[in-house]
Amino acid sequence: MRFLGKQSKPRVYVTRALPGDAIERLQRECDVRVWDEDAPPSRETLLEETRNAEGLLCLLTDNVDAGLLEAAVHLRVISTMAVGYDHIDIDAATARGVLVTHTPGVLTETTADFAFALLLAAARRLPEGDRAVREGRWTAWQPTFLVGQDVYGATLGIVGLGAIGAAVAKRARGFAMRVLYCGPARNEPLEEELGLEYTNFEGLLARADFVSVHARLTPETRHLFNEDAFRRMKPTAVFVNTARGAIVDEGALLRALENRVIAAAAIDVTETEPLAKTDMLLRLPNLLVTPHIASASVATRTRMAGLAVDNVLDALAGRRPGHPVNPQVLNVK
Ligand code: GLV
């Protein structure tokens, strides 16, 4: 850990080294402490470091719960370098008048690119092909060797049509896909613009060749993909998740892939991260898993860090940050 800056400035704790000039910019205006290791700080460290901090710049790996908020009595802003904020107890923060901010928008296209990359890779069995070549199992061109699912002209089901879901739908048009979507909010202008069809969850599962999840993790979406959901999908279906691991019951996913209830899955997120090397999911040839890197391009991660810093600086200077999660806190002040 390093200590940077002078005492008279607002104190900010940053839970990891950040790309670009993010820390330097923060340091100009704040008294900054940075957790410099690759693994997240422990609960004890987080408690200790936020006890006197006015600002916390954290990542999705940091659990900011009611207990931490109770101890961090000086805290005014929590800025997460993520679009998802399910790792923060928003109600507890709001009750204590602590502003929470996040970094939407800047990662939309990068994440959509990655979701599509997963979809294509799982459909056309890229990881299996790569393994086959490396393991000397490419013996001859064969009519039925590693045959997969066509993407062009297929039906895509998008679960949660927020910014990222919409960006995936735009990409699907280039593949002449029919695009269905479901979710709490219907978006008729976008339906019109992109030729989308709104349906319910069950209808989407029954008709989609590809199901891609772009919903937030909430009590309503936790384990939305359970045994029953996978059973409703086509046996040729490919499931893609770049949202949050806990939207899927991983036991149910394991059984669905093992018993070929669905054809394949490609996931960038798991219920417990990192996924243990011994996890049963890793034995499945029809599962592609990546280590939560959908937003991981150099430019996007730099933009996310910059935005997270802007949010802290704005909040501590009494300005309205661009991306408040609980703006009601601002109205009270
Ligand atoms: C990544 O998962 C994010 O929420 O930004």
Side-chain angles (χ1 to χ4, degrees), residues 202-279:
E202 289 75 18
L204 180 144
L205 297 180
R207 289 170 59 202
D209 300 305
F210 297 90
V211 174
S212 190
V213 186
H214 302 285
R216 287 204 304 116
L217 175 62
T218 63
E220 291 72 40
T221 62
R222 184 173 291 276
H223 284 197
L224 178 66
F225 282 86
N226 53 19
E227 207 99 46
D228 179 61
F230 289 119
R231 268 191 209 298
R232 288 175 186 272
M233 288 167 65
K234 296 182 181 180
T236 49
V238 174
F239 174 73
V240 178
N241 187 10
T242 49
R244 284 292 181 267
I247 295 176
V248 179
D249 173 347
E250 273 170 13
L253 176 65
L254 178 82
R255 288 185 291 279
L257 290 169
E258 222 165 29
N259 302 325
R260 305 283 163 164
V261 173
I262 62 171
I267 58 174
D268 185 48
V269 286
T270 53
E271 256 193 292
T272 304
E273 297 185 359
L275 191 66
K277 206 176 150 197
T278 52
D279 197 289

Side-chain angles (χ1 to χ4, degrees), residues 60 80-87 102-104 107 111 164 242-244 268-269 273 292-295 301 304:
L60 55 85
T80 184
M81 184 185 141
V83 63
Y85 43 81
D86 48 278
H87 60 108
H102 67 146
T103 60
L107 48 61
T111 305
I164 299 170
T242 49
R244 284 292 181 267
D268 185 48
V269 286
E273 297 185 359
H292 205 148
I293 53 169
S295 68
R301 285 289 169 83
M304 288 168 72

Side-chain angles (χ1 to χ4, degrees), residues 122 128 131 256-258 260 262-266 283-288:
E128 288 172 88
R131 276 197 298 273
L257 290 169
E258 222 165 29
R260 305 283 163 164
I262 62 171
R283 299 190 186 178
L284 299 166
N286 51 349
L287 175 77
L288 163 56

Side-chain angles (χ1 to χ4, degrees), residues 59-70:
L59 307 187
L60 55 85
T61 45
D62 304 309
N63 182 21
V64 183
D65 60 15
L68 190 133
L69 280 152
E70 194 177 337

